[in-house]
Amino acid sequence: MNSYCTRMTVHNLYIFDRNGSCLYYNEWNRKKQAGISKEEEFKLMYGMLFSIRSFVSKMSPLDMKEGFLSFQTSRYRLHYYETPSGLRFVMNTDLSVSNARETLQHIYSNLYVEYIVKNPVCDSTHSLDSELFSSRLDAFIRALPYYSPRAA
Amino acid sequence: MVIFSVYVVNKAGGLIYQYDNYVPRAEAEKTFSYPLDLVLKHHDEKVVVSFGQRDGIRVGHAVLSINGVDVIGKNTADGKDTLEYLKDAANYPVSIRFGRARLSSNEKLMLASMFHSLFAIGSQLSPEVGSSGIEMLETDVFKLHCFQTLTGIKFIVLADPRQSGIDALLRKIYEIYSDFALKNPFYSLEMPIRCELFDQNLKSSLEIAEKAGNFGAGS
């Protein structure tokens, strides 16, 4: 059980606007890069999520309310949260985290809205440039109950 | 606790088998008088609701039938364009049935190939070494489970989010595939599966999985 706990972690976080541009990206515990440039990776991630949403809306046997929530592979889980304004929060964690929706909602309402939207100097249509936002977000992620930095 | 459907995809991404076990049809039939207070539009060879959600009729629902007669694509059963027909006041009052559009077999083929690619991208974008592709995808109304064999065949099951035992069910479907499709001398690899015994055994294992809520090991 001990070795299982040391694997609890957040790998990375992306924030996309509704046009597909990546507004923010940070990584905490990423072991493997995608093998393509960051720009391409953002486009691929956004494209994959766009396709997943379209796929899910066609495949779904019933009418959906929230739509796509997360997916998991053998090694990680991707959590997705989209605000009504089209802002998309994507977080990759390890498999022990089953539901990060509240975390992502908290990041939106308590961090993004507070430090970006309410900041008259911050232009939320371009890359999020607020140091306060980055440091608060970093502190928040590190304080999560399921975050524990891996032994190097 | 319900299993909605099963898809089997070959290693090139082509759909080789599809079975709908339970397809819930949430439909709403209402009588309307002129003018229609919903906004309809053409989408993908169908007429869908674009605006005006109410009374069980949601945005995205397609026109399924008019006055009890099923529509065919964009046209009514008589061959008239549905939107034109509904713009004509002389045709009112009219009874229209709306609901989620059924997937045509072409659309299922496309969705299976789409998932095949998404599965691979999930592996590529992994922040961890040695990740597989997407094994489970969750939404608020269904969960999609995928098992990829060593030869690249994917068994995909769509089920209720609370349904358990799907992993064991996927292994069981693999077993049924190897017993009744692969061992069938008339079946060619990677081709659509048309083996009666495969169908029968698949249906019964789905029934067992649904009833048990948990597919028992050692069956």
Side-chain angles (χ1 to χ4, degrees), chain A residues 1-8 96:
Chain A
M1 196 167 93
N2 240 358
S3 62
Y4 195 57
C5 287
T6 60
R7 280 162 52 205
M8 287 168 62
S96 62

Side-chain angles (χ1 to χ4, degrees), chain A residues 11 31-32 55-58 60-67 69-77 150, chain B residues 4 24 44 58 61 100 111 121-122 124 126-129 131-133 135-142:
Chain A
H11 297 295
K31 295 297 180 82
K32 171 190 161 284
F55 170 80
V56 152
S57 74
K58 286 222 133 120
S60 179
L62 301 157
D63 293 313
M64 297 188 301
K65 203 160 62 95
E66 283 147 22
L69 299 171
S70 70
F71 75 66
Q72 83 179 53
T73 72
S74 60
R75 292 271 192 278
Y76 76 100
R77 200 185 207 118
R150 259 208 241 173
Chain B
F4 298 114
D44 272 358
R58 309 262 316 252
H61 276 194
R100 281 190 72 81
L111 290 171
I121 299 175
Q124 185 184 2
S126 167
E128 280 270 26
V129 180
S131 171
S132 72
E135 286 183 345
M136 198 273 287
L137 190 143
E138 185 170 0
T139 74
D140 52 351
V141 297
F142 74 93

Side-chain angles (χ1 to χ4, degrees), chain B residues 72 74-85 91:
Chain B
I72 306 165
K74 291 191 287 201
N75 302 333
T76 65
D78 318 330
K80 290 191 283 260
D81 183 71
T82 313
L83 287 179
E84 290 303 315
Y85 181 85
N91 295 318

